[in-house]
Amino acid sequence: MGIEVKYVRLKLENIHQLQSHPFGLDIKDFDEFIAFSDELVCSNYYLDIGKSWQAIHFLLTGEIAMDKTSDLSPLCNVVLGGTETEYQTDFGRVRYLTPNEVKEIVEALELISVDDLRSCFSPEAFNAAKIYPNPQPGGWEIEELEFILTQYIQLVVFFKEAAKQNNFVFIASS
């Protein structure tokens, strides 16, 4: 098991879907909401970065955060940002980013290339910080970074499309 992070982007006019959830969105797992829409999960409106969330956050910010950060910068908002909703998951509340926050994130992400992230990667720093999920045996090595960077690219594409479509982004940790 372990903590996984999922994203859903919705247009303002589609937010009513959340309120018309069959269980009134009294959910333990954000997947319950998603499960009622195979179409959503198979679309570019949904992204699951799995257990890579802390590694991506650490690459972007240098923080070892396990919880929502007090830093309100766009790069901190990528994984741990957003305004909490009333909807609880196993590891906190579902959070959302407004279309303006999404656009700020995209502007910040556009300043960071994959090569920038690759060059600042330090297996020693990742291992010392016990960045989740700590690969075993032996800890972080450059090979594990390539998987994280693939997910990072998907995340950038997801946020760019959300900004282009003026979407809200919902973030859930389960």
Side-chain angles (χ1 to χ4, degrees), residues 5 29 41 52 56 76 92 113 154:
V5 173
D29 189 339
V41 171
S52 300
I56 291 171
C76 284
S113 72
Q154 293 172 346

Side-chain angles (χ1 to χ4, degrees), residues 52-113:
S52 300
W53 61 272
Q54 192 181 33
I56 291 171
H57 181 76
F58 189 68
L59 280 172
L60 291 174
T61 67
E63 290 185 356
I64 307 170
M66 288 296 291
D67 295 313
K68 185 177 167 69
T69 180
S70 59
D71 183 351
L72 301 176
S73 73
L75 292 178
C76 284
N77 280 342
V78 172
V79 176
L80 299 175
T83 302
E84 288 186 347
T85 68
E86 62 190 271
Y87 310 120
Q88 185 70 36
T89 66
D90 291 337
F91 295 100
R93 296 188 179 276
V94 175
R95 295 167 278 122
Y96 70 89
L97 298 163
T98 66
N100 286 338
E101 290 170 319
V102 171
K103 288 174 185 162
E104 290 172 356
I105 287 169
V106 169
E107 289 171 7
L109 291 175
E110 287 177 337
L111 300 174
I112 302 169
S113 72

Side-chain angles (χ1 to χ4, degrees), residues 1-7 47-60 63 65 78-80 117 126 131-135 140 143-155 173-174:
M1 293 287 294
I3 302 170
E4 297 187 4
V5 173
K6 299 168 176 84
Y7 298 83
L47 179 65
D48 182 349
I49 62 168
K51 297 177 183 178
S52 300
W53 61 272
Q54 192 181 33
I56 291 171
H57 181 76
F58 189 68
L59 280 172
L60 291 174
E63 290 185 356
V78 172
V79 176
L80 299 175
L117 294 178
F126 265 56
I131 297 300
Y132 181 79
N134 189 12
W140 286 94
E143 292 78 23
E144 285 82 26
L145 175 65
E146 294 308 317
F147 177 74
I148 300 300
L149 293 177
T150 300
Q151 291 195 304
Y152 170 75
I153 292 167
Q154 293 172 346
L155 193 59
S173 304
S174 57

Side-chain angles (χ1 to χ4, degrees), residues 6-10 30 33-34 40 45-47 158 168-172:
K6 299 168 176 84
Y7 298 83
V8 174
R9 60 185 188 86
L10 294 171
F30 200 59
F33 170 67
I34 303 302
L40 177 63
Y45 285 84
Y46 173 81
L47 179 65
F158 179 86
F168 283 79
V169 171
F170 289 78
I171 306 169

